[in-house]
Structures are given as structure tokens and as C-alpha cells.
């Protein structure tokens, strides 16, 4: 009887230790989101590979996906006027939540995108004003540098490999997310995000 009780206790402890996601602090989440933009600025395709959900890698094929990323990032290197991002600001975080067996955080923030645009004309500038709001667009006609302030949203997913992955939230592919994280995940995600407040940091 004692051995049976010990086995039950051990099983409960195991489930608690290995089925729950580690909670992140504000600073840890901020660092993780910033790393996404640092990796983009450095053209670090290894970061994007490591940030890809495990199930997607298995479906696509790990070597095939790696080759695809390499091709994309090599083409970026050839850009004469690369896009650069600054550190994020005004970070807002919802408390950790769960859909199916997947834990997640929902975050929103601002980030400034900068690019030299020597061929930007008045029509293109007006289009930027329309898309992002005139108050979020700054163009220096002398340096030809265009700076745009973006309002962004992401979800941090605790993936099957016990690693937090940063995925898009705006206009995300519901069918893809359901395939990766289980049937009904997308609707659950939208519902819980819609009913959650941002933490008062």
C-alpha cells in the first residue's frame, strides 16, 4: 500500500514538473521579443529556424525548411536598402493562459522600423501615412530615411520542445494553428485573449 501511495505521489509530482510551462517575468518576455528583431537585423536565419514550432518542422521536413530559410535570408543580404528595427517599447502583457495543452502569453507593443528610401515619392509617402497614420510616419527628405512606428501583437507559445516560441497574432492562420496546436486552438486563443486584461506593470 505504501509503495502504491509513493507511486501515485511520484506521478503527480512528475506531471506538475513537466506539464506546466515556466512563467516568464516582464523582462524575460521583453528580451525574447527584442531578440526576434535583433535576429532580423543580423539576418540570423538560425534564430527563425529555432523559433519555428516543432510540428511545423516535422511536417515540412527539417532540412527542406532550413534550405528554404537560407534562400530567403541570402536574398535579404542582397538588399541595397535593408530594413532595420529598434528595441520595442510600451510592452503590454496578458497573464499566462492555456488552450488545449499549450500555454501562451499574448503581448502588444510598439516598434520603430527604419529604412533608407532614396526613391520614395510623394505618392508612396501618402500611402504610408494612410496605412500607418501620419503621426506614426517620419520621413527625412535630406537623409532619405523613412521611419515608421508599428503597433504589433504577438503570442509566445510554450512548444513541445519546452521552448517559448514567438508567433504572429494579427491575422494569424487559424487552420495552421489548429493543425500545430490541436483542434479548436484558434477559437480558444481568440476567446481567452478577448476576455483577458493586460497586467498592470
Amino acid at each position: 500500500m505504501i509503495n502504491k501511495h509513493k507511486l501515485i505521489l511520484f506521478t503527480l509530482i512528475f506531471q506538475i514538473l513537466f506539464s506546466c510551462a515556466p512563467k516568464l517575468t516582464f523582462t524575460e518576455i521583453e528580451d525574447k521579443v527584442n531578440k526576434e528583431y535583433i535576429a532580423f537585423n543580423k539576418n540570423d536565419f538560425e534564430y527563425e529556424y529555432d523559433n519555428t514550432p516543432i510540428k511545423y518542422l516535422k511536417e515540412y521536413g527539417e532540412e527542406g525548411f532550413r534550405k528554404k530559410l537560407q534562400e530567403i535570408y541570402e536574398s535579404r543580404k542582397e538588399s541595397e536598402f535593408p530594413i532595420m528595427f529598434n528595441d520595442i517599447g510600451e510592452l503590454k502583457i496578458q497573464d499566462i493562459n492555456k488552450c488545449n495543452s499549450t500555454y501562451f502569453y499574448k503581448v502588444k507593443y510598439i516598434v520603430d522600423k527604419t529604412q533608407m528610401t532614396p526613391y520614395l515619392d510623394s505618392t508612396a509617402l501618402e500611402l504610408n501615412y494612410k496605412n500607418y497614420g501620419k503621426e506614426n510616419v517620419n520621413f527625412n527628405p535630406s537623409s532619405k530615411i523613412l521611419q515608421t512606428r508599428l503597433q504589433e501583437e504577438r503570442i509566445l507559445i510554450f512548444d513541445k520542445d519546452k521552448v517559448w516560441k514567438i508567433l504572429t497574432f494579427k491575422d494569424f492562420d487559424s487552420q495552421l494553428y489548429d493543425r500545430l496546436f490541436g483542434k479548436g486552438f484558434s477559437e480558444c486563443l481568440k476567446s481567452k485573449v478577448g476576455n483577458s486584461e493586460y497586467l498592470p506593470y
Side-chain angles (χ1 to χ4, degrees):
M1 185 64 72
I2 295 176
N3 288 338
K4 184 178 180 180
H5 288 160
K6 285 184 177 179
L7 180 60
I8 293 172
L9 181 61
F10 177 79
T11 302
L12 289 172
I13 293 173
F14 182 88
Q15 289 177 340
I16 291 170
L17 290 176
F18 294 97
S19 65
C20 297
K23 294 194 73 171
L24 300 173
T25 65
F26 179 94
T27 302
E28 287 172 330
I29 292 175
E30 185 177 45
D31 287 345
K32 287 181 182 297
V33 178
N34 273 323
K35 281 180 181 177
E36 180 182 22
Y37 293 102
I38 292 170
F40 183 94
N41 293 341
K42 292 182 177 180
N43 210 35
D44 181 3
F45 86 90
E46 288 288 353
Y47 170 85
E48 186 164 344
Y49 182 86
D50 292 339
N51 189 61
T52 302
I54 290 295
K55 189 169 183 180
Y56 186 85
L57 287 178
K58 290 180 178 178
E59 288 182 356
Y60 197 97
E62 294 182 16
E63 289 306 314
F65 187 70
R66 181 181 289 275
K67 183 178 179 181
K68 177 187 175 182
L69 283 182
Q70 284 177 322
E71 291 172 353
I72 293 172
Y73 278 73
E74 284 299 320
S75 67
R76 283 185 190 172
K77 288 181 182 178
E78 299 173 4
S79 175
E80 187 178 359
F81 307 110
I83 296 171
M84 301 294 287
F85 289 94
N86 294 340
D87 285 350
I88 66 169
E90 298 182 15
L91 176 63
K92 302 291 183 183
I93 302 167
Q94 291 184 357
D95 203 359
I96 192 169
N97 221 321
K98 183 181 180 183
C99 285
N100 296 341
S101 60
T102 302
Y103 289 89
F104 67 89
Y105 285 97
K106 161 67 169 53
V107 301
K108 67 178 181 179
Y109 54 89
I110 60 170
V111 63
D112 290 336
K113 179 178 75 171
T114 304
Q115 185 177 26
M116 182 173 285
T117 54
Y119 310 115
L120 187 75
D121 59 19
S122 58
T123 302
L125 184 58
E126 285 297 327
L127 184 61
N128 275 274
Y129 289 154
K130 181 179 178 181
N131 289 338
Y132 304 109
K134 194 168 184 177
E135 70 279 7
N136 294 316
V137 177
N138 180 51
F139 178 64
N140 187 321
S142 299
S143 64
K144 303 296 183 182
I145 291 177
L146 176 70
Q147 188 174 59
T148 310
R149 176 154 291 180
L150 307 176
Q151 309 286 334
E152 294 290 352
E153 296 179 86
R154 293 286 192 275
I155 51 172
L156 281 74
I157 293 282
F158 194 62
D159 204 7
K160 302 298 184 184
D161 57 352
K162 308 299 180 184
V163 175
W164 286 100
K165 311 285 178 72
I166 300 176
L167 304 178
T168 187
F169 181 77
K170 285 183 179 177
D171 303 319
F172 67 81
D173 186 335
S174 296
Q175 290 184 344
L176 174 62
Y177 280 16
D178 281 357
R179 199 170 77 242
L180 296 179
F181 307 112
K183 185 178 180 181
F185 176 84
S186 296
E187 286 304 316
C188 175
L189 174 67
K190 292 175 185 176
S191 175
K192 290 195 173 181
V193 165
N195 291 314
S196 297
E197 299 293 331
Y198 288 94
L199 296 173
Y201 286 113

